């Protein structure tokens, strides 16, 4: 399992529109092969900052499957214009996990 | 629910020791009031980078409860010397979540 992580800085005052369009765009990622789950969370300390976390079965499900799909064009069209600066994306794999 | 996020850059060649001490240190966070779960994941693109994700019931469970506890002193002692640079920590709250 691979965790995609992106810190998203949204242009000031566009947060509500971004959140609305994120919900719409979600349909374009959740149908892709190898997608497991995703979540958007908003930063407490910096209100125009968000974190996107997406769980994929494999790295390639994201980098090849999603990014080369027609769905990704729709996702980009809906969301990429909100970001400033344009985010970098990293992938992580599990080392340790515990639940209370 | 609050998600604590820290990107951790570990000093090169200390990754194995860090992972071992992280497992030990986990006992000091998981017993704290308001702790829900935590995970450590390792970056695919940059091998000395990790992400720490901790779910707390409230912001204060982390910033007041854990950081002012004796357990935090032990956590710091075990882990903080591995980081370069010293990480900044942010907190996030849920906006959108979906599972496939």
């Amino acid at each position: 399992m691979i965790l995609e992580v992106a810190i998203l800085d949204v242009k000031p005052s566009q947060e509500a529109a971004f959140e609305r369009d994120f919900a719409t765009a979600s349909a374009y990622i959740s149908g892709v092969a190898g997608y497991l789950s995703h979540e958007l969370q908003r930063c407490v300390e910096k209100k125009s900052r968000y974190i996107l976390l997406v769980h994929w079965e494999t790295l390639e499900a994201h980098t090849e499957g999603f990014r080369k799909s027609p769905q990704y064009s729709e996702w980009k069209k809906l969301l990429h214009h909100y970001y400033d600066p344009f985010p970098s994306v990293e992938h992580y794999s599990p080392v340790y996990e515990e639940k209370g």
Side-chain angles (χ1 to χ4, degrees), chain A:
Chain A
M1 189 160 77
I2 287 287
L3 175 65
E4 172 197 348
V5 177
I7 305 287
L8 308 174
D9 286 310
V10 167
K11 293 172 189 166
S13 82
Q14 301 194 9
E15 294 89 349
F18 167 67
E19 291 187 15
R20 205 169 48 237
D21 282 341
F22 184 89
T24 305
S26 288
Y28 295 111
I29 196 170
S30 62
V32 168
Y35 161 92
L36 295 172
S37 67
H38 74 293
E39 61 189 287
L40 181 73
Q41 300 219 19
R42 187 170 188 176
C43 187
V44 172
E45 289 83 8
K46 189 176 176 185
K47 285 297 185 188
S48 60
R49 177 166 290 176
Y50 294 80
I51 191 168
L52 169 65
L53 300 169
V54 189
H55 286 98
W56 297 98
E57 282 176 9
T58 63
L59 181 64
E60 293 70 28
H62 177 224
T63 57
E64 301 292 316
F66 182 49
R67 282 196 179 147
K68 295 180 179 170
S69 69
Q71 291 94 318
Y72 185 62
S73 307
E74 300 301 319
W75 170 275
K76 269 170 61 172
K77 213 181 294 175
L78 275 164
L79 299 180
H80 282 198
H81 64 92
Y82 286 111
Y83 307 144
D84 183 26
F86 192 76
S88 59
V89 172
E90 290 179 321
H91 300 88
Y92 290 82
S93 63
V95 171
Y96 187 94
E97 191 171 356
E98 189 173 337
K99 285 186 201 301

